[in-house]
């Protein structure tokens, strides 16, 4: 459950049926990346004091759906990371905008009849959604490669920890 998109988590909590999209999969990748960072750094001395988001993210992932929904707030407000923080905040913003950009379509899509007369509307909306997903994916990749240049200066995990320790001072 910790890696699900917020849209899917909200639907689970409300017991609603939704259409799973590629955007949900991309957002799941963001949560997987954060999970890796959290679990790689949670036991390093001082890590929880320099990045209070580590403990809050662990708390979010240890509970049910409702507590898991707080992970967006944690990344947006409490995540402090000198190395990966910019990338995580940027991706979080991209997925937040993407969810808002598809909200109306996601509500409308299940109501479109699939008979021959309305089939073109269904195809048109699905094509738009696919194109939108591709654009979001490109935005995620572009920002990832831009941040890669910043991350390359750290040759090992000890340097990442040191950068975050200096940030906390």
């Amino acid at each position: 459950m910790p890696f699900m998109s917020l849209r899917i988590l909200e639907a689970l909590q409300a017991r609603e049926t939704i259409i799973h999209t590629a955007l949900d999969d991309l957002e799941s990748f963001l949560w997987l990346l954060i999970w890796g960072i959290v679990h790689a750094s949670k036991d390093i001395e001082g890590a929880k004091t320099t990045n209070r988001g580590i403990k809050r993210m662990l708390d979010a992932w240890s509970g049910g759906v409702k507590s898991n929904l707080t992970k967006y707030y944690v990344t947006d407000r409490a995540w402090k990371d000198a190395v990966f923080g910019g990338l995580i905040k940027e991706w979080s913003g991209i997925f937040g905008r993407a969810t808002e950009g598809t909200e109306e379509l996601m509500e409308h899509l299940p109501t479109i009849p699939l008979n021959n007369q309305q089939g073109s509307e269904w195809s048109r909306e699905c094509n738009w959604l696919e194109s939108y997903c591709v654009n979001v994916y490109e935005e995620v990749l572009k920002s990832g490669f831009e941040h890669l240049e910043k991350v390359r200066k750290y040759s090992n995990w000890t340097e990442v920890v040191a950068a975050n320790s200096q940030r906390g001072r």
Side-chain angles (χ1 to χ4, degrees), residues 7-158:
R7 205 173 68 79
I8 290 177
L9 284 171
E10 287 170 346
L12 281 172
Q13 184 181 23
R15 298 179 186 212
E16 297 174 346
T17 302
I18 63 166
I19 297 173
H20 182 112
T21 71
L23 295 176
D24 296 307
D25 294 336
L26 284 171
E27 185 180 336
S28 295
F29 177 73
L30 168 70
W31 301 123
L32 181 62
L33 173 68
I34 293 172
W35 181 88
I37 293 168
V38 166
H39 281 275
S41 59
K42 69 181 170 114
D43 297 325
I44 296 170
E45 188 169 326
K48 288 182 185 175
T49 57
T50 58
N51 186 351
R52 68 178 189 234
I54 291 174
K55 181 177 180 337
R56 294 182 73 186
M57 196 62 75
L58 288 167
D59 292 343
W61 280 328
S62 66
V65 171
K66 189 172 183 176
S67 66
N68 207 304
L69 285 168
T70 65
K71 65 188 179 188
Y72 183 79
Y73 176 82
V74 173
T75 58
D76 194 43
R77 297 280 186 332
W79 191 262
K80 307 292 182 213
D81 188 303
V83 181
F84 302 104
L87 176 64
I88 289 169
K89 284 191 185 296
E90 191 168 327
W91 279 2
S92 180
I94 290 169
F95 293 119
R97 289 189 305 276
T99 298
E100 289 172 10
T102 59
E103 202 168 276
E104 187 177 319
L105 174 64
M106 290 297 139
E107 291 174 6
H108 174 65
L109 204 55
T111 65
I112 301 172
L114 292 177
N115 62 29
N116 290 337
Q117 296 167 343
Q118 297 293 330
S120 62
E121 182 183 1
W122 173 264
S123 294
R124 184 177 59 251
E125 297 293 355
C126 287
N127 288 340
W128 180 89
L129 179 60
E130 181 179 5
S131 175
Y132 190 79
C133 290
V134 167
N135 290 337
V136 170
Y137 181 68
E138 288 174 357
E139 190 177 353
V140 167
L141 284 177
K142 181 180 175 195
S143 71
F145 280 110
E146 288 170 359
H147 284 275
L148 182 61
E149 293 305 314
K150 297 173 189 173
V151 173
R152 280 194 174 137
K153 68 181 178 181
Y154 304 99
S155 61
N156 60 50
W157 193 251
T158 304

